[in-house]
Amino acid sequence: MSDELDYLSAGGRLKTLLEPLKSQGLREVFIATDIDDAKQKSQISPAVHIMYRGDRLEENTQSGRVSKATQTWLLILIHRSQPNQASAGVFLSRILSVVAGQNHGESTFKRVTAPVAPGYSGGFVYLPLAFEITVKTKGERQ
């Protein structure tokens, strides 16, 4: 069904927004399932891993049939410094410029504080950026 809501479609939209950064040195964009998944693929650098981090219910109307939730999406830049490559800070700026304020459905990606701290392991840095987007759902009438 083409009119059916894909509750997690923001992940695909984020991937589409980030893909053009491959022409600027980003090697890959993954939709990851968890932090360990991102670490296992860390041999590819620089790369961005997109992760759904859950949602927060904002409001219910019509006896709970219609709801609005704010989803949090985490983008983790995995970077290892190499000669003739943009720094992690440059890649973070590029990510912010292509995602912040971009539309998805009836909402836009708004940057928020990341729910996880940066990490460092084996010469790689894991730098999180978080974005929120609003999703409205509507249950069927009985």
Side-chain angles (χ1 to χ4, degrees):
M1 293 182 165
S2 61
D3 292 339
E4 192 169 20
L5 172 68
D6 178 351
Y7 194 73
L8 300 176
S9 65
R13 173 70 172 137
L14 287 165
K15 184 172 173 62
T16 299
L17 291 169
L18 293 165
E19 287 285 335
L21 294 180
K22 286 182 174 181
S23 68
Q24 298 176 36
L26 189 66
R27 290 193 51 212
E28 194 56 72
V29 178
F30 298 101
I31 297 181
T33 55
D34 61 30
I35 294 288
D36 289 333
D37 188 31
K39 288 181 180 178
Q40 289 174 357
K41 295 178 183 172
S42 65
Q43 69 278 9
I44 297 175
S45 169
V48 175
H49 292 258
I50 301 165
M51 295 177 55
Y52 174 65
R53 293 289 295 184
D55 60 18
R56 162 178 90 255
L57 193 59
E58 298 296 328
E59 63 183 58
N60 279 312
T61 60
Q62 299 179 18
S63 298
R65 193 172 78 84
V66 177
S67 65
K68 181 167 80 170
T70 299
Q71 295 181 342
T72 301
W73 288 86
L74 189 62
L75 306 180
I76 302 173
L77 171 66
I78 297 177
H79 190 275
R80 183 178 200 157
S81 293
Q82 296 179 20
N84 303 317
Q85 180 186 74
S87 70
V90 168
F91 277 109
L92 286 173
S93 294
R94 290 174 182 171
I95 293 166
L96 288 167
S97 71
V98 300
V99 174
Q102 293 297 316
N103 293 333
H104 179 63
E106 297 177 12
S107 187
T108 58
F109 289 103
K110 179 180 80 169
R111 186 171 178 211
V112 296
T113 302
V116 296
Y120 306 87
S121 177
F124 291 92
V125 61
Y126 300 83
L127 299 169
L129 293 172
F131 292 88
E132 289 184 344
I133 194 157
T134 302
V135 178
K136 296 177 184 176
T137 57
K138 189 176 191 178
E140 294 184 21
R141 288 193 180 271
Q142 296 295 328

